[in-house]
Amino acid sequence: MASAKEIIEKARKEARAVLTEMESKELLRSLGISTTQMKLAASKEQAITVSKQIGYPCVLKVSSPDITHKSDAGGVKVGLADDAAVAQAYDDIMASCKAKFPAAFIEGVTVQEMARPGLEVIVGMATDPQFGPVLMFGLGGVWVEVLKDVSFKIAPLTKGDAAKAVREIKAARLLDGFRGSEPVDTSALEDILMRVSDFVVKTPQVKEMDLNPIFAYPKGAVAVDARVILGE
Ligand code: ADP
Ligand code: MG
């Protein structure tokens, strides 16, 4: 497994500031953060072969250093049940991404295990000119997009800060279980915040991180999408 340092150096050599989802998740795994299992496939045939290895249902996503918002480009297909669905998804993703981003270099697709449903949350890091790295926590989906229900903490976070970041969002009650659903593992979320905080404090080359979404479960949490951006 490549170290965070090696992953960053490779991107630097290629003059890229944005790590691919594959690289970003590899980096997260090197920090001890769980992610969905994934592999790159450079052709439709390869996508089918890899899907069989990963197992159905699976997910296909466009892999391109030039396409960072994959769904907007029609580049994400989830719940693929068999070879035929993968073949169709591959064609649809390529057609849509080429139409929307004609100049993009497309490596292929990543084939991923389909994460079981969980509560969608977000962990982010941005670098403030005054405060340096700042960590963000929020619930995913409309909670962050429409209601802007997020909390912020300046790095380095203490364990107490991480616990507060999770509890301080307005919709924190959803974490405790809602209408019969089990409570989510908030200590797993605090652990992710701590690991990201520790990493960014000792890695000033990293300017932004986005773990969006993380699926939170009654036990554990898994980063389903990730993006890491390097600074100057
Ligand atoms: P984007 O680049 O548009 O943010 P994402 O990788 O976040 O793309 O995928 C969009 C949505 O698809 C996610 O918010 C999540 O709900 C779903 N999704 C993505 N990958 C998986 C996966 N491996 N398992 C289950 N759901 C997924
Ligand atoms: Mg995403």
Side-chain angles (χ1 to χ4, degrees):
M1 189 168 81
S3 69
K5 191 163 170 261
E6 286 164 344
I7 296 164
I8 291 171
E9 273 168 13
K10 179 170 181 283
R12 280 264 190 253
K13 267 194 202 128
E14 294 169 10
R16 285 184 291 124
V18 183
L19 305 193
T20 63
E21 179 188 351
M22 184 99 171
E23 292 169 326
S24 301
K25 283 182 171 170
E26 215 178 324
L27 189 153
L28 292 181
R29 279 197 297 278
S30 79
L31 305 180
I33 296 172
S34 301
T35 74
T36 45
Q37 193 203 339
M38 65 194 290
K39 257 187 180 170
L40 190 67
S43 68
K44 188 172 12 177
E45 291 66 36
Q46 222 181 337
I48 294 170
T49 308
V50 175
S51 296
K52 285 193 215 289
Q53 291 165 1
I54 289 199
Y56 291 113
C58 67
V59 175
L60 252 59
K61 298 192 206 177
V62 65
S63 184
S64 164
D66 306 316
I67 303 176
T68 45
H69 297 284
K70 300 174 292 290
S71 317
D72 294 349
V76 179
K77 301 279 174 193
V78 302
L80 306 173
D82 52 30
D83 295 5
V86 168
Q88 184 67 52
Y90 186 93
D91 288 341
D92 291 348
I93 287 173
M94 288 303 159
S96 173
C97 291
K98 281 178 185 162
K100 291 209 168 108
F101 294 90
F105 166 67
I106 300 176
E107 298 177 301
V109 297
T110 60
V111 181
Q112 312 193 1
E113 65 177 301
M114 173 96 185
R116 64 201 156 86
L119 183 70
E120 294 199 18
V121 304
I122 296 175
V123 166
M125 186 284 284
T127 306
D128 181 88
Q130 228 175 334
F131 299 114
V134 176
L135 277 280
M136 188 207 76
F137 175 80
L139 294 180
V142 293
W143 297 97
V144 66
E145 279 161 34
V146 181
L147 303 175
K148 311 257 184 278
D149 184 14
V150 294
S151 60
F152 294 95
K153 294 283 168 219
I154 297 168
L157 268 64
T158 62
K159 285 201 167 151
D161 292 333
K164 277 192 202 141
V166 171
R167 298 307 323 178
E168 272 172 11
I169 57 167
K170 294 192 200 81
R173 271 180 53 206
L174 292 182
L175 302 166
D176 301 327
F178 192 68
R179 299 209 170 152
S181 66
E182 265 187 89
V184 304
D185 186 350
T186 47
S187 66
L189 302 176
E190 292 164 20
D191 183 66
I192 293 175
L193 281 164
M194 291 301 289
R195 285 174 195 268
V196 172
S197 169
D198 291 348
F199 170 66
V200 296
V201 164
K202 62 172 203 255
T203 320
Q205 305 98 291
V206 172
K207 192 176 81 173
E208 257 179 70
M209 286 176 74
D210 208 2
L211 286 61
N212 179 10
I214 295 167
F215 284 7
Y217 300 118
K219 202 167 180 335
V222 172
V224 161
D225 184 28
R227 185 160 41 134
V228 174
I229 302 178
L230 308 176
E232 281 74 50

